[in-house]
Amino acid sequence: MDPEGSVQDPEEKYSVCVGREDDIKKSARMTAVVHDREVVIFYHKGEYHAMDIRCYHSGGPLHLGEIEDFDGRSCIVCPWHKYKITLTTGEGLYQSINPKDPSAKPKWCSKGVKQRIHTVTVNNGNIYVTLSKEPFRCDSDFYATGNFKVIQSSS
Ligand code: FES
């Protein structure tokens, strides 16, 4: 609470304006640096999704991938080795078959959350991204932090 007695929204100071809604609706994607972290923002089927820009597998550029649906879930397909990452949750999807039942159809499975997803909000035609502060270790953190980070901190 500040001296005036009002409660400041703690999220407000962490969100960063990355562009205009009109622009991303035209291009369907944009890239941004949010607090020294590179992210890509997609506009797909009327919704916004933000995630770390480097693929959790080997750091591929997800902003250059295509979006496709797999098992009814929209995924960004990494242009380097074609890994599929769900836009809403950051899960890595793969297909598996039961080797003991060769007639069975391949089934889509999840490796769990691999790519860190960030929050997108829209206010007055501006797009804001708030970085995820979820405390779990996400594989994509490797390429977004430390020595593999492309954008180096100015501090
Ligand atoms: Fe993305 Fe390998 S770097 S699939």
Side-chain angles (χ1 to χ4, degrees):
M1 196 174 284
D2 69 20
E4 308 279 288
S6 66
V7 179
Q8 188 188 10
D9 178 359
E11 293 303 312
E12 249 175 50
K13 66 180 177 186
Y14 295 113
S15 68
V16 169
C17 182
V18 295
R20 297 282 303 163
E21 206 176 6
D22 292 345
D23 295 331
I24 193 171
K25 281 184 173 172
K26 278 186 220 141
S27 60
R29 61 185 64 188
M30 64 168 55
T31 62
V33 177
V34 179
H35 298 300
D36 287 337
R37 193 168 185 122
E38 274 190 298
V39 298
V40 56
I41 303 104
F42 297 108
Y43 178 68
H44 183 67
K45 294 183 178 172
E47 291 183 356
Y48 297 98
H49 307 277
M51 62 176 62
D52 287 342
I53 199 168
R54 302 282 158 197
C55 174
Y56 72 89
H57 175 224
S58 276
L62 294 181
H63 59 299
L64 302 179
E66 297 294 326
I67 294 175
E68 293 179 45
D69 282 4
F70 299 96
D71 204 24
R73 305 178 76 185
S74 296
C75 296
I76 183 71
V77 180
C78 179
W80 281 8
H81 312 105
K82 308 300 178 196
Y83 277 32
K84 292 132 183 75
I85 302 166
T86 62
L87 293 182
T88 53
T89 61
E91 287 168 79
L93 297 188
Y94 67 100
Q95 278 190 303
S96 77
I97 53 163
N98 181 352
K100 293 183 179 154
D101 181 7
S103 66
K105 282 174 125 181
K107 212 173 74 177
W108 284 102
C109 302
S110 171
K111 300 178 197 173
V113 176
K114 296 291 185 177
Q115 195 75 20
R116 193 173 282 278
I117 298 293
H118 307 289
T119 304
V120 181
T121 50
V122 181
N123 188 356
N124 222 5
N126 294 313
I127 308 277
Y128 294 84
V129 172
T130 308
L131 294 181
S132 155
K133 291 192 283 293
E134 292 293 322
F136 76 105
R137 173 79 175 84
C138 191
D139 286 4
S140 67
D141 292 344
F142 185 75
Y143 295 101
T145 58
N147 292 338
F148 289 92
K149 192 170 135 180
V150 174
I151 303 291
Q152 297 299 323
S153 172
S154 51
S155 58

